[in-house]
Amino acid sequence: MIAISPPAPPFRVVPVDHYEVLTYDGVLLSTVVGSIVVCVYDAVEEAGGMVHLRILPTGFGGREASDETLAAGLLLLDRCLSTLQTAAPTARNWQARVVTHYGADGVLQPIGNGVLHSVTHACQDSGVRVVQSDAESGAPVTVGFRPA
């Protein structure tokens, strides 16, 4: 007898400053370095999405994110959540897992903490419960997310 493995689900790469939403079985992948990835899913429905946000200081040596970068990131998060709600209108149990990467030497931690704080509050304001938040520095981290 020959064992046949089921095919691997399709995957999509989510680059920085982008988001993807899946309403089918698939995997979202992102390499996180000096950025934040937010994986949003419904605890009951099989819909989910990933948004990849950049962490940038206001200028060389700055300790805060620029207002424009932060506003663009929050707008991208809002678009992702809106697309998810349209794709899964009966979903009521939205949750998120967040991975923050502070760069190779961790220098982005003060800025990243501020961006993370804003992202967490934006999720909560949209009815999304953040159930896990991890922080890394050093080598880039590859995040794989399968909402189904």
Side-chain angles (χ1 to χ4, degrees):
M1 179 179 267
I2 299 174
I4 299 175
S5 299
F11 70 92
R12 297 183 82 162
V13 175
V14 182
V16 71
D17 295 330
H18 287 84
Y19 73 90
E20 291 287 339
V21 169
L22 293 180
T23 57
Y24 55 85
D25 187 19
V27 177
L28 298 169
L29 294 172
S30 197
T31 300
V32 189
V33 59
S35 57
I36 295 178
V37 165
V38 183
C39 303
V40 182
Y41 61 96
D42 183 78
V44 178
E45 298 285 327
E46 291 190 355
M50 177 186 279
V51 61
H52 191 168
L53 307 172
R54 144 183 346 255
I55 300 172
L56 283 178
T58 53
F60 185 75
R63 298 180 57 86
E64 294 180 355
S66 73
D67 290 340
E68 286 124 16
T69 302
L70 184 56
L74 294 176
L75 181 59
L76 196 62
L77 175 63
D78 186 60
R79 286 182 182 162
C80 180
L81 295 175
S82 178
T83 302
L84 276 169
Q85 290 169 345
T86 300
T90 60
R92 299 287 181 262
N93 300 294
W94 293 109
Q95 298 179 5
R97 294 174 189 249
V98 180
V99 177
T100 306
H101 190 280
Y102 297 122
D105 55 5
V107 72
L108 294 175
Q109 186 169 358
I111 301 157
N113 284 341
V115 175
L116 176 61
H117 182 77
S118 296
V119 166
T120 300
H121 280 288
C123 285
Q124 292 169 343
D125 289 347
S126 297
V128 177
R129 187 168 60 105
V130 177
V131 296
Q132 183 176 350
S133 183
D134 296 311
E136 302 283 338
S137 59
V141 175
T142 299
V143 175
F145 174 55
R146 187 175 184 184

